[in-house]
Amino acid sequence: MSNSDAARAASIGLAVSTVIFALRDADGAPRATPPSAGGQGTDAPATVWLPLVRRIREPQCGRWALPGGMVELDESLEGAARRNLAETTELQPTYLEQLYAFGDVNRSPDRRLVSVVYWALVRPDEAAQVTLGENVQWFPADDLPELAFDHNLIVDYALWRLRTKMEYSAIAHAFLGDEFTLAELRGVYEAVLQKPLDPANFRRQMESSGAIEATGGVVTGGRHRPPKLYRYTGDVQLVDAGPLTPRIPA
Amino acid sequence: MSNSDAARAASIGLAVSTVIFALRDADGAPRATPPSAGGQGTDAPATVWLPLVRRIREPQCGRWALPGGMVELDESLEGAARRNLAETTELQPTYLEQLYAFGDVNRSPDRRLVSVVYWALVRPDEAAQVTLGENVQWFPADDLPELAFDHNLIVDYALWRLRTKMEYSAIAHAFLGDEFTLAELRGVYEAVLQKPLDPANFRRQMESSGAIEATGGVVTGGRHRPPKLYRYTGDVQLVDAGPLTPRIPA
DNA sequence: CGAGTTATGGTCACGGTGACCTGAACGGAG
DNA sequence: CTCCGTTCAGGTCACCGTGACCATAACTCG
């Protein structure tokens, strides 16, 4: 329709970034309890954390930013997100979903840049493997420094999506291993939603949802009645993980 | 990180497309009742329709496709969507929200193309102004021909989003004028959700939600008790219309 | 005026939820 | 070995939103 759109549009840069969420202890410790092993069970309240990388190039050199990079010609958007994740943080997320495409004209001071942003959930034991260093560190999601570009806005939006989706979808297990106790699962909800939940009511809701089933095993070693282990059945759809997700039939 | 990403990525084309939804009579008539005027009230069941444009260039020349085009260097993504809408269908949507970024490697046979897709809701009186022709026509959203590229997938996803969001958000009024009767509002829900709703229960829910208020006016002329007119209060947030939407405080 | 139609208001049974209580099953202290 | 503190696990109960349904109101048209 316009005169010279194809030629001009070719110079818009296309990048991907990812907001990676993991649960860690409030003091920053990597949340010892991997998949509910016999460990003495960290019961300190967990909070939401995310890894950031320090920019080593202009513009905004030195500032913390979301991991990301340009999209290659021969990779999909999600593929580009996974590649950048592996390259910068060595993470292979349990859950990965597109969040939003940010494309304001002046969001990057250099050239015109459109970023397709993904958000990811990783298990604590995975998160612990992130090689920290001068240029990669974990930050509490609710108390971030001033980030590069519009990344503060992006993280806030991703955090809102995480908390909203946690209330109506079954994504909590992406923070846990294959087997988990109800207390651990409840801990995930409490960490994300930032409010205590009644253990008995939580149990009733989870059991009636059909999303989990008992494995038969229990966890011994605690100074109390041994809790049963559960796993996700997969019966409950992960609602709206994108257009390619099989939808619940009407 | 990679070797030549910036240079290669520069040649990925960035486009926007929009799925435009409007309600029309099942036979395709433009849904006479504009903003609940004195007209004799079309009470034929409405269904969801969308306008498509015929491609006049290769690739996929001749096929029907979503209205859209390339993003210019000096316009935002939403701005590009609005411009393309105005250019191809002369529409200024009441509601416009980003849907998803589609970026599979082979979704366009020609060159690598990433499309940021928006979805829009327009009022019937607006929709009636769309200049139809050989290359612009309305189609029922649930019975589409084979479209160009991956546009069938896109429309299906947009339709799923519309129906899902209709159940928990207050977007129905985007299909109506400033003032409307509860029957008209209920008709929107019934058309989108494809199921009849109890008039009395619907009234109760709408009134208790605080989303609407009576204007004081009524509609006379029907062969029955005159219904009150309502308007949206704006108190109820349009949930999740993107990162820039003010969020409900915790 | 009566018939037909929709608007509007009310009742009632049911299911899910939050608040709360009680017993079960462990480890540890004495 | 017993008592105790803890969490697990199962249950009760009041409340509220919902769907199904009934009744009356208020208009037009024949």
Side-chain angles (χ1 to χ4, degrees):
Chain A
M1 308 302 159
S2 186
N3 28 21
S4 62
D5 34 27
R8 297 173 60 82
S11 57
I12 297 181
L14 183 66
V16 292
S17 296
T18 306
V19 184
I20 305 161
F21 290 124
L23 298 186
R24 318 185 98 217
D25 290 329
D27 56 12
R31 199 71 190 151
T33 6
S36 67
Q40 56 278 4
T42 318
D43 43 8
T47 53
V48 181
W49 292 67
L50 72 162
L52 297 174
V53 299
R54 198 197 301 268
R55 285 190 59 81
I56 54 176
R57 285 185 298 194
E58 290 299 335
Q60 310 258 355
C61 185
R63 277 217 177 147
W64 294 98
L66 296 170
M70 305 303 290
V71 180
E72 304 277 342
L73 258 182
D74 58 350
E75 65 184 356
S76 67
L77 296 174
E78 183 175 323
R82 290 189 184 277
R83 176 180 55 77
N84 275 289
L85 240 58
E87 288 177 1
T88 56
T89 63
E90 301 170 19
L91 281 174
Q92 291 191 313
T94 307
Y95 183 86
L96 182 66
E97 179 191 335
Q98 193 183 111
L99 176 69
Y100 200 80
F102 293 83
D104 278 357
V105 177
N106 296 317
R107 59 183 293 273
S108 171
D110 231 14
R111 62 182 294 217
R112 177 71 192 277
L113 206 61
V114 169
S115 288
V116 177
V117 178
Y118 283 75
W119 62 294
L121 306 183
V122 297
R123 300 195 303 267
D125 56 307
E126 290 181 312
Q129 295 174 2
V130 174
T131 54
L132 293 179
E134 183 71 19
N135 297 321
V136 179
Q137 275 192 13
W138 289 90
F139 291 82
D142 285 304
D143 186 26
L144 292 178
E146 194 171 338
L147 306 183
F149 311 115
D150 51 0
H151 289 194
N152 282 101
L153 173 71
I154 294 176
V155 172
D156 287 347
Y157 185 51
L159 200 51
W160 178 83
R161 268 274 273 273
L162 168 65
R163 292 189 164 131
T164 303
K165 197 154 189 172
M166 183 74 65
E167 290 188 332
Y168 69 91
S169 181
I171 57 172
H173 76 284
F175 281 119
L176 297 173
D178 293 335
E179 297 194 344
F180 47 85
T181 67
L182 280 178
E184 289 171 336
L185 185 60
R186 179 166 49 86
V188 173
Y189 278 85
E190 291 178 337
V192 173
L193 302 180
Q194 295 176 301
K195 64 180 178 186
L197 299 176
D198 184 279
N201 294 335
F202 182 79
R203 164 184 309 278
R204 191 211 312 155
Q205 290 173 344
M206 282 299 149
E207 283 175 342
S208 70
S209 74
I212 61 173
E213 61 183 5
T215 66
V218 294
V219 178
T220 56
R223 55 168 60 179
H224 51 75
R225 178 171 174 173
K228 292 186 196 171
L229 281 171
Y230 291 84
R231 75 169 70 89
Y232 263 84
T233 60
D235 289 354
V236 176
Q237 305 272 355
L238 289 185
V239 183
D240 187 21
L244 300 177
T245 309
R247 223 72 58 196
I248 302 120
Chain B
M1 311 302 158
S2 185
N3 29 19
S4 62
D5 34 27
R8 297 174 59 85
S11 58
I12 297 181
L14 183 67
V16 293
S17 297
T18 307
V19 184
I20 306 161
F21 289 124
L23 298 186
R24 317 185 98 217
D25 291 329
D27 57 10
R31 199 72 190 151
T33 4
S36 68
Q40 58 276 4
T42 317
D43 44 8
T47 53
V48 180
W49 292 66
L50 71 162
L52 296 175
V53 299
R54 200 197 299 269
R55 285 190 58 82
I56 54 175
R57 285 185 297 193
E58 289 299 336
Q60 311 257 357
C61 184
R63 277 216 176 149
W64 294 98
L66 295 171
M70 305 305 288
V71 180
E72 305 277 341
L73 259 183
D74 57 351
E75 65 184 356
S76 67
L77 296 174
E78 183 175 321
R82 291 189 183 277
R83 176 180 56 77
N84 275 289
L85 242 58
E87 288 176 1
T88 56
T89 63
E90 302 171 18
L91 281 174
Q92 291 192 315
T94 307
Y95 183 86
L96 182 66
E97 180 190 336
Q98 191 183 113
L99 176 70
Y100 200 79
F102 293 83
D104 277 357
V105 177
N106 295 316
R107 57 184 296 273
S108 171
D110 231 12
R111 63 183 291 219
R112 178 71 193 279
L113 207 61
V114 169
S115 288
V116 178
V117 178
Y118 283 75
W119 62 293
L121 306 182
V122 297
R123 299 195 305 265
D125 56 308
E126 290 181 313
Q129 295 174 0
V130 174
T131 55
L132 293 179
E134 183 70 19
N135 298 322
V136 179
Q137 275 191 12
W138 288 90
F139 291 82
D142 285 303
D143 185 27
L144 293 178
E146 195 172 339
L147 305 184
F149 312 113
D150 52 358
H151 288 193
N152 282 100
L153 172 71
I154 294 176
V155 172
D156 286 347
Y157 184 52
L159 199 51
W160 177 83
R161 268 274 272 272
L162 168 64
R163 290 187 166 131
T164 303
K165 198 154 188 172
M166 183 74 65
E167 290 187 331
Y168 69 91
S169 180
I171 56 171
H173 76 285
F175 281 120
L176 298 173
D178 292 334
E179 296 194 347
F180 47 86
T181 67
L182 280 178
E184 289 171 336
L185 185 61
R186 180 165 48 86
V188 172
Y189 278 84
E190 290 178 338
V192 172
L193 302 180
Q194 295 177 301
K195 64 180 178 186
L197 299 176
D198 183 280
N201 293 337
F202 182 80
R203 165 183 309 277
R204 191 211 312 154
Q205 290 173 344
M206 282 298 150
E207 283 175 343
S208 70
S209 74
I212 61 172
E213 61 182 5
T215 65
V218 294
V219 178
T220 57
R223 55 168 58 179
H224 52 75
R225 178 172 174 174
K228 292 184 196 170
L229 281 171
Y230 291 84
R231 74 168 71 91
Y232 263 85
T233 59
D235 289 355
V236 176
Q237 305 271 355
L238 290 186
V239 183
D240 187 20
L244 300 176
T245 309
R247 222 73 55 197
I248 302 123

